[in-house]
Amino acid sequence: DLRGPLDAVQGMAYILESLEREQREGDRAEILGQLRLATRNMASLIDDLLNLSRANTAALKKKRVDLTGIVTQIAEDLKRGEPERRVEFMIAQLPPVEADEGLIRVALDNLIRNAWKYTSHHAGACIEFGAINRRGESVYYVRDDGAGFDPKQNDQLFQPFHRLHSRSEFPGTGIGLATVERILARHGGRIW
C-alpha cells in the first residue's frame, strides 16, 4: 500500500523527463494532476497510519468532550468541501463525555467521513449521529443510508488494510475502522 503511490510518482517523473519539449507542454497538466493525486493518496495513507499508531500508543488525556460539537464541525467541513451534495445530517444534542478529545475526534472523523463516502452514490443522503441507552449502557451510533456491506464479512470490518468495497468504487486506505476500534477499546468501549 505504501509503495503504490510512490511507484506512480516515480513513473510519472520518468515520463516527464522523457517527453520531448513540445509534448511536455501539452501533457504537463495531466501528468501533474496525476502526480498531485498520487501524493495526496500517499499523504492520506501516512496520516491514517499515524492515527493508527497514536490510537495504540498515545497517553490518554481524558476531559469533558462535546461529541455533538465535534460531529457538527466534521459535518460542516464535509458540506463545505462538497457543497453540491445533498446530505441531511441529524445530530443529537448529547451531554459531554469523559474522553481523550484528540483520539475521540479521530474516531468520530473516521466514522462520519465513512458515512459521507458510502452515501456518495445517492442523489440525497441522510447521516445520523446519536445515542441510546441499552441496559444501562450508553450506545453511540452513526447511521447512514449508504452502500452498506455484506454481513458475512463482518469479521473483516475492523482489520487494518481490509476493504469491503473496491478502491475504484470508494477510495480509502482500509485503516480507518481499525483505528476507531482501537481508540474505543482504549476508552473501555467497543464497536460493532
Side-chain angles (χ1 to χ4, degrees):
D1 283 336
L2 285 170
R3 294 258 3 126
L6 284 179
D7 290 343
V9 168
Q10 287 177 327
M12 287 177 268
Y14 174 78
I15 291 169
L16 274 175
E17 284 177 342
S18 65
L19 288 175
E20 295 295 325
R21 184 164 184 76
E22 302 80 40
Q23 285 180 300
R24 192 174 298 156
E25 293 308 314
D27 295 336
R28 184 173 178 259
E30 181 183 341
I31 293 171
L32 287 175
Q34 291 173 353
L35 278 168
R36 277 192 289 278
L37 179 62
T39 55
R40 246 192 329 266
N41 289 343
M42 182 62 148
S44 176
L45 185 56
I46 289 169
D47 289 345
D48 286 351
L49 286 169
L50 288 172
N51 284 335
L52 181 63
S53 174
R54 282 188 206 112
N56 290 325
T57 60
L60 290 181
K61 298 174 188 153
K62 289 188 175 183
K63 64 177 191 175
R64 292 178 67 76
V65 177
D66 176 13
L67 300 180
T68 299
I70 291 172
V71 171
T72 300
Q73 183 179 43
I74 294 165
E76 288 170 359
D77 290 347
L78 289 167
K79 287 192 271 188
R80 251 191 317 278
E82 291 184 66
E84 70 283 358
R85 292 229 12 227
R86 289 192 352 233
V87 178
E88 177 187 6
F89 279 92
M90 298 170 58
I91 303 169
Q93 292 296 319
L94 301 174
V97 298
E98 285 291 317
D100 182 292
E101 185 172 10
L103 289 177
I104 288 298
R105 184 176 299 276
V106 168
L108 289 170
D109 189 69
N110 271 293
L111 293 170
I112 300 300
R113 285 183 189 279
N114 268 4
W116 181 266
K117 174 174 49 176
Y118 290 110
T119 59
S120 64
H121 296 278
H122 291 25
C126 181
I127 298 172
E128 185 179 352
F129 172 72
I132 58 171
N133 189 311
R134 185 181 289 166
R135 289 176 239 135
E137 181 180 48
S138 293
V139 177
Y140 298 88
Y141 61 87
V142 174
R143 183 179 298 145
D144 65 69
D145 57 357
F149 62 93
D150 183 349
K152 293 176 193 162
Q153 297 177 311
N154 200 23
D155 61 329
Q156 299 173 31
L157 198 56
F158 302 103
Q159 293 180 18
F161 302 108
H162 277 72
R163 299 176 45 82
L164 303 184
H165 296 277
S166 70
R167 276 195 176 95
S168 61
E169 189 179 8
F170 295 105
T173 60
I175 300 174
L177 289 178
T179 301
V180 171
E181 181 183 49
R182 290 176 188 182
I183 289 170
L184 295 180
R186 298 235 8 241
H187 283 82
R190 64 190 192 285
I191 186 169
W192 65 93

